[in-house]
């Protein structure tokens, strides 16, 4: 089997996780990572991967820290079939110009606007429309969870409209000493918040409105949803519908999984790298159905949920696998994704 040569530009929270996931795929080869930093993260990366310096200044800084440099960004791009851009917000749109000039396929993350690629991706919803494209955008962690859950209801012809409230983590755990909020909560200034319209960039038919508030913690996001169904349903029916998505999983309050820190500890006990949770964790015993109204809540691991989506996006762009379910199953198996944690 010919392997797809993949380059990663940006070795931060998402970049390092995608790098590790690529290493687990038998149809992909990670040829290197590009960055401008020269701190402990890049020193660790250099022990495992070829490191490319995106700028001359970055090259000199890496050399001063004795970090071996394999080349510049152009060298990295030249060897790639597809580039996964994991640079900070807005840099992906700038880098897209370079990728297009080089004639290489590329993926950007949810911090970029839909217009950067003209296509926004989640594997279960629109894998086929990404086949052979020049580029796509893997939507943000929150948007990924919204599309996964609401699309499951839509496929079952049960979704009429959905209204959600998002409690968003303030910052990533590794940099909480640098920024974030303490002793306060910060609502997004507009309703709807941006996640609802972003979900519609994947599926314009979704009738979804979101409101969001930033809260002083770092482990994950928490969503509360009220959904009007197209007809009356039972709890058992809704649980079966959510279970038809291979990237949702059920947790139970009765198992003492009543908080995000407890769920994080569960992921660590299960041996997940970094304690990552790729699934949307829906509280099974909290979910309630009253006639045609559905109420549920779930957790989103902001550092991990987009990792399997990115792996599938690589396959779609390069057309190494044209069948969405085959790619999803392959990715799920490689990452140990499952619907029942305990």
């Amino acid at each position: 089997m010919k392997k797809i040569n993949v380059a990663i530009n940006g070795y931060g929270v998402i970049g390092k996780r995608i790098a590790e996931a690529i290493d687990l795929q038998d149809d992909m080869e990670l040829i290197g990572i590009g960055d401008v930093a020269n701190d402990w993260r890049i020193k660790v990366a250099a022990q495992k991967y070829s490191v490319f310096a995106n700028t001359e200044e970055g090259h000199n800084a890496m050399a001063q820290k004795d970090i071996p440099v394999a080349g510049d960004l152009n060298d990295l791009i030249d060897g790639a079939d597809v580039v996964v851009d994991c640079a900070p917000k807005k840099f992906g749109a700038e880098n897209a110009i370079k990728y297009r000039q080089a004639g290489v396929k590329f993926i950007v993350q949810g911090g970029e606007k839909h217009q950067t690629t003209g296509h926004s991706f989640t594997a279960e919803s629109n894998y086929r429309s990404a086949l052979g494209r020049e580029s796509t955008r893997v939507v943000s962690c929150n948007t990924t969870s919204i599309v996964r859950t609401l699309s499951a209801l839509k496929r079952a012809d049960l979704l009429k409209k959905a209204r959600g409230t998002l409690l968003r983590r303030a910052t990533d755990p590794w940099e909480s000493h640098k920024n974030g909020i303490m002793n306060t909560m910060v609502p997004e200034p507009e309703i709807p918040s941006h996640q609802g319209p972003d979900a519609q960039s994947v599926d314009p038919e979704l009738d979804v409105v979101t409101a969001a508030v930033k809260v002083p913690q770092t482990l994950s996001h928490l969503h509360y949803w009220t959904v009007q169904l197209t007809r009356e349903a039972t709890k058992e029916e809704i649980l079966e519908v959510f279970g038809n998505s291979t990237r949702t999983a059920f947790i139970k309050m009765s198992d003492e999984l009543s908080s995000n820190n407890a769920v994080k500890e569960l992921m660590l006990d299960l041996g997940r790298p970094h304690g990552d949770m790729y699934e949307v964790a829906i509280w099974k015993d909290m979910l309630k159905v009253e006639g045609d109204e559905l109420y549920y809540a779930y957790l989103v691991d902001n550092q991990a949920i987009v990792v399997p989506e990115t792996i599938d996006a690589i396959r779609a762009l390069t057309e190494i696998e044209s069948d969405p379910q085959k790619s999803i199953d392959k990715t799920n198996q490689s990452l140990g994704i499952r619907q029942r944690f305990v």
Side-chain angles (χ1 to χ4, degrees):
M1 180 189 298
K2 178 185 180 298
K3 292 189 176 184
I4 296 299
N5 288 331
V6 185
I8 293 177
N9 189 12
Y11 193 75
V13 167
I14 301 299
K16 69 180 180 182
R17 286 169 165 81
I18 292 173
E20 292 168 0
I22 289 170
D23 281 345
L24 298 174
Q25 311 307 311
D26 62 9
D27 52 0
M28 300 178 193
E29 187 78 33
L30 181 61
I31 63 169
I33 60 108
D35 214 302
V36 296
N38 63 352
D39 58 15
W40 59 271
R41 294 168 298 169
I42 306 305
K43 288 185 176 181
V44 171
Q47 297 175 20
K48 300 184 286 184
Y49 312 115
S50 296
V51 173
F52 293 76
N54 289 359
T55 64
E56 183 176 352
E57 188 178 70
H59 187 291
N60 294 335
M62 289 179 191
Q64 291 176 4
K65 294 286 187 69
D66 296 322
I67 298 172
V69 179
D72 61 20
L73 182 58
N74 290 330
D75 297 322
L76 178 61
I77 293 173
D78 285 344
D81 296 310
V82 59
V83 179
V84 180
D85 191 287
C86 300
K89 183 177 180 179
K90 297 184 180 179
F91 283 97
E94 296 177 9
N95 293 334
I97 299 171
K98 301 176 184 177
Y99 306 144
R100 288 193 171 99
Q101 289 174 342
V104 65
K105 295 177 182 288
F106 65 93
I107 297 166
V108 298
Q109 299 301 308
E112 307 306 326
K113 294 185 182 300
H114 173 78
Q115 291 77 10
T116 302
T117 62
H119 187 273
S120 294
F121 181 92
T122 68
E124 290 181 331
S125 296
N126 63 351
Y127 185 102
R128 291 188 189 281
S129 65
L131 287 170
R133 285 185 59 89
E134 169 207 58
S135 60
T136 190
R137 165 183 171 261
V138 173
V139 292
S140 72
C141 48
N142 281 314
T143 303
T144 296
S145 74
I146 293 169
V147 175
R148 278 189 198 172
T149 52
L150 295 187
S151 292
L153 294 169
K154 182 184 175 185
R155 288 192 294 271
D157 294 322
L158 281 170
L159 179 65
K160 186 172 183 180
K161 63 180 180 181
R163 305 295 182 255
T165 299
L166 288 60
L167 305 179
R168 301 180 57 211
R169 64 94 179 95
T171 188
D172 289 317
W174 84 271
E175 58 183 358
S176 57
H177 64 297
K178 293 183 176 181
N179 54 50
I181 59 174
M182 289 292 290
N183 196 35
T184 189
M185 294 183 288
V186 183
E188 287 205 12
E190 295 182 356
I191 299 176
S193 60
H194 71 273
Q195 293 87 5
D198 199 30
Q200 291 167 332
S201 73
V202 178
D203 185 349
E205 295 180 354
L206 292 178
D207 184 346
V208 55
V209 177
T210 53
V213 57
K214 189 183 295 184
V215 297
Q217 61 87 33
T218 65
L219 292 181
S220 59
H221 307 298
L222 190 156
H223 289 212
Y224 278 94
W225 284 91
T226 299
V227 172
Q228 184 176 1
L229 304 171
T230 56
R231 59 173 173 80
E232 292 188 1
T234 64
K235 178 174 181 176
E236 290 70 26
E237 185 177 6
I238 297 300
L239 290 174
E240 182 179 354
V241 167
F242 281 144
N244 287 334
S245 167
T246 62
R247 289 180 179 167
T248 62
F250 295 117
I251 54 176
K252 293 191 290 186
M253 291 278 182
S254 60
D255 285 334
E256 298 299 325
L257 294 171
S258 57
S259 61
N260 60 350
N261 59 297
V263 174
K264 182 71 170 182
E265 190 71 11
L266 171 62
M267 294 302 108
L268 290 165
D269 285 354
L270 291 174
R272 292 286 182 90
H274 312 287
D276 285 345
M277 182 174 71
Y278 308 109
E279 304 87 340
V280 179
I282 303 171
W283 273 290
K284 183 177 183 179
D285 43 2
M286 188 193 301
L287 185 147
K288 189 172 185 178
V289 182
E290 292 185 342
D292 65 350
E293 290 188 321
L294 165 63
Y295 309 92
Y296 62 99
Y298 59 72
L299 290 174
V300 181
D301 187 335
N302 48 284
Q303 300 183 110
I305 190 174
V306 301
V307 171
E309 307 298 327
T310 304
I311 297 300
D312 290 327
I314 293 170
R315 291 199 183 98
L317 292 187
T318 58
E319 297 184 280
I320 196 170
E321 177 55 71
S322 60
D323 187 317
Q325 197 57 53
K326 287 183 179 179
S327 179
I328 290 168
D329 290 345
K330 188 181 185 72
T331 302
N332 289 355
Q333 184 175 5
S334 70
L335 296 179
I337 292 173
R338 57 196 196 184
Q339 293 176 289
R340 294 181 179 176
F341 295 132
V342 290

